[in-house]
Amino acid sequence: MQRHFERSLQELKDTLVGMGSLVDRQIDCASQALFEGDLPAAREVIGRDGVVDEYDNRVDALCQSILALNQPVAGDLRLLMAALRINTQLERIGDIAVNIAERVEPLATQTGLIRATRLAEMLQIARIMVTDSLNAFLTADPALARRVMDSDYVVDGLDRHIFRHLVKMMEDSPSLISV
């Protein structure tokens, strides 16, 4: 029974890593599509959203199965709870990549404006956060987890900076505003 439990936990971890890898590719592809005005790449991101959703459902099912069949306690229960939270966040990040991809077409003529922001920097930090958060989970590394949390403050600051920068650009050049 213990061996089956360990295999189930490993399958859960492997599934989360696969999901994290796909979500990272989604962020990368969506950002490249946005910066280049690449509509086919944007459509690929949108088309792969179902695969992210399948991972989401698989992780949920694995966690439910492990909980029902093994009644984990202590560290194993915390691992399952963390896996469920990570799953939710990865699915959310995948949805954000789709949202970015859906904006490629209306923004295709504004790639210069987009490149003039610090959005590329913010997206790169977000990708590192995805990788580091999964590594922190898999290796139970609290220092790496704290670094991810600190990076969140950096991303939030960049978000505010980019917003203010774009508002200023629109105030200076109202022609940038579409009706």
Side-chain angles (χ1 to χ4, degrees):
M1 185 66 132
Q2 183 65 20
R3 186 167 278 184
H4 173 72
F5 178 65
E6 291 169 6
R7 279 196 307 267
S8 296
L9 288 178
Q10 189 59 51
E11 181 182 359
L12 174 63
K13 290 176 184 178
D14 292 345
T15 303
L16 278 171
V17 168
M19 184 179 188
S21 178
L22 175 59
V23 166
D24 179 60
R25 284 196 314 272
Q26 289 284 85
I27 296 167
D28 184 44
C29 191
S31 62
Q32 286 182 5
L34 182 65
F35 290 114
E36 302 300 322
D38 186 345
L39 294 175
R43 287 185 198 107
E44 283 182 36
V45 171
I46 295 165
R48 281 193 300 256
D49 186 49
V51 180
V52 175
D53 293 341
E54 288 172 13
Y55 269 108
D56 175 38
N57 293 333
R58 180 72 183 140
V59 169
D60 278 346
L62 285 168
C63 288
Q64 289 174 18
S65 174
I66 292 168
L67 284 166
L69 298 175
N70 300 286
Q71 299 175 339
V73 295
D76 293 328
L77 184 58
R78 285 189 294 274
L79 182 139
L80 287 172
M81 299 306 294
L84 286 168
R85 292 197 64 190
I86 291 167
N87 182 47
T88 299
Q89 294 305 314
L90 287 175
E91 200 280 329
R92 183 176 150 268
I93 294 166
D95 286 345
I96 291 169
V98 169
N99 292 342
I100 291 169
E102 289 173 342
R103 284 161 180 78
V104 169
E105 187 171 6
L107 294 172
T109 60
Q110 301 296 332
T111 56
L113 175 69
I114 294 165
R115 288 187 199 122
T117 68
R118 295 177 67 189
L119 186 57
E121 178 184 354
M122 186 170 83
L123 289 166
Q124 186 58 35
I125 293 170
R127 289 184 66 204
I128 292 167
M129 289 172 66
V130 169
T131 301
D132 285 352
S133 63
L134 281 170
N135 286 334
F137 169 72
L138 294 171
T139 62
D141 184 343
L144 184 56
R146 275 190 291 284
R147 214 166 62 220
V148 171
M149 289 172 26
D150 291 342
S151 295
D152 192 45
Y153 295 113
V154 173
V155 169
D156 288 345
L158 284 168
D159 182 51
R160 286 187 299 276
H161 170 81
I162 292 166
F163 181 79
R164 286 190 306 269
H165 178 73
L166 289 172
V167 167
K168 175 78 170 118
M169 291 177 76
M170 288 184 281
E171 287 172 346
D172 293 346
S173 300
S175 63
L176 294 173
I177 302 170
S178 62
V179 179

